[in-house]
Amino acid sequence: MKNISFVLKAALLVLLIGCSNDDNQGQIEQQPEEEVSNLPKQIQINFSEVHNASYEFAYNANKQIRSIDLQRNSDGDLYHVFSEFLYSTDDNLTAVSTDDVLNGVGRNVFFTYLSNGDLADVAMVSNGSKKDSELSYDVPNRTYYLDYQTGPLTEILFDSDGNLEEIDFNGTRWQLAHDNFEKGLFHEAKIPSPMLLWFGMNYYYNPSEIYFLSMKNIGSFSSAGANFSIDEVQRSESGHLEKFTISSDDASYSADYTITY
């Protein structure tokens, strides 16, 4: 029932914001959840004895993320956000519904495409109100800019393989250092660039918590003059990440990660 209600909500809001069917490739399709191997099902993060977070992932048969369920407990202060992703029949990400479960606040993001498959526009509807935005893409530098006229600017830069290299949200920039020697946490998932744009819009305060949705291995990253390293790494025999620690060089941040497949 939840899936049906979301499809109806997405369809109605697409009409509300005036998305053109001529610019979209394929039709919106809600694919069933599938059991897939070698993809992270849960990321458990322990910051301290009284602060922890859990991310649960579901996927479709094409190894695309179907939903992300975040639950956080910070010394009794609870936070629960559920995001659901819709794809067209030709695998384009078309809509994301994000709900603050405990407070009843919702946000929907819609992606439209040109006939050649390039991303044409991003529209956000928050609590029934559309937010004006302007999308541009710097092709030589593989950089998207999403400017909200009543809000912040999101900028994301990709490497040649489609992984995040840099993300900037309203002046706060994160820079990643990848390597090709080991598998990234989402090594076998299909992470399209519009999903990373959505990620930049929603996880600007804590992007490392879901490993920047990176398919490549991350050795370190930096932000606002602080450097973060990924250490104490444990992998399965097949090379998949199972445990690691992220810590800052000034000792102001430390978190232990446990991955379940």
Side-chain angles (χ1 to χ4, degrees):
M1 192 69 185
K2 184 175 186 179
N3 292 339
I4 295 174
S5 66
F6 174 64
V7 172
L8 291 175
K9 179 170 64 174
L12 289 172
L13 286 173
V14 168
L15 292 174
L16 173 66
I17 63 178
C19 293
S20 171
N21 287 334
D22 295 335
D23 289 336
N24 282 294
Q25 288 190 317
Q27 301 296 318
I28 291 178
E29 180 180 78
Q30 181 68 18
Q31 296 182 338
E33 182 179 334
E34 295 283 342
E35 282 296 325
V36 290
S37 59
N38 300 327
L39 291 173
K41 303 295 195 307
Q42 183 184 56
I43 301 175
Q44 181 69 40
I45 311 169
N46 290 316
F47 303 92
S48 68
E49 292 183 357
V50 295
H51 184 190
N52 59 74
S54 172
Y55 291 84
E56 293 188 358
F57 298 83
Y59 303 87
N60 62 27
N62 295 327
K63 296 189 175 182
Q64 298 165 315
I65 295 176
R66 185 175 178 272
S67 64
I68 301 176
D69 190 6
L70 162 61
Q71 298 191 50
R72 185 187 307 278
N73 186 338
S74 181
D75 197 14
D77 185 10
L78 302 180
Y79 181 70
H80 185 188
V81 172
F82 182 82
S83 298
E84 191 171 10
F85 304 82
L86 286 178
Y87 300 86
S88 65
T89 53
D90 49 5
D91 291 339
N92 283 325
L93 178 64
T94 55
V96 185
S97 173
T98 300
D99 293 308
D100 184 336
V101 176
L102 299 180
N103 297 311
V105 179
R107 173 190 294 179
N108 299 274
V109 179
F110 299 92
F111 301 94
T112 56
Y113 299 82
L114 301 174
S115 57
N116 64 0
D118 290 344
L119 185 62
D121 190 28
V122 180
M124 178 188 292
V125 177
S126 181
N127 292 325
S129 176
K130 181 186 175 185
K131 307 297 182 183
D132 293 328
S133 64
E134 181 178 345
L135 175 72
S136 60
Y137 183 51
D138 181 350
V139 176
N141 294 309
R142 300 186 299 273
T143 304
Y144 275 111
Y145 302 90
L146 183 61
D147 188 6
Y148 282 96
Q149 297 174 9
T150 58
L153 170 70
T154 299
E155 174 188 341
I156 57 173
L157 183 151
F158 305 95
D159 65 14
S160 58
D161 296 321
N163 289 277
L164 272 178
E165 275 195 341
E166 297 184 18
I167 176 173
D168 188 298
F169 185 85
N170 208 28
T172 300
R173 181 172 293 272
W174 299 78
Q175 297 176 300
L176 282 66
H178 296 109
D179 69 56
N180 292 316
F181 301 107
E182 300 283 359
K183 296 177 180 178
L185 185 56
F186 293 91
H187 173 75
E188 298 187 31
K190 293 182 179 179
I191 308 293
S193 55
M195 177 174 284
L196 294 176
L197 193 55
W198 168 86
F199 168 81
M201 296 160 56
N202 287 272
Y203 285 88
Y204 48 89
Y205 286 124
N206 50 2
S208 64
E209 288 193 2
I210 51 176
Y211 203 79
F212 297 92
L213 288 176
S214 182
M215 296 173 283
K216 283 186 175 180
N217 187 55
I218 300 173
S220 61
F221 57 93
S222 61
S223 177
N227 297 310
F228 299 81
S229 60
I230 300 179
D231 301 306
E232 300 179 28
V233 176
Q234 296 183 31
R235 294 179 178 271
S236 66
E237 291 183 357
S238 57
H240 293 90
L241 282 166
E242 292 184 334
K243 291 185 178 183
F244 56 88
T245 297
I246 295 180
S247 57
S248 60
D249 57 358
D250 61 2
S252 63
Y253 176 91
S254 180
D256 296 323
Y257 288 67
T258 301
I259 314 301
T260 303
Y261 293 86

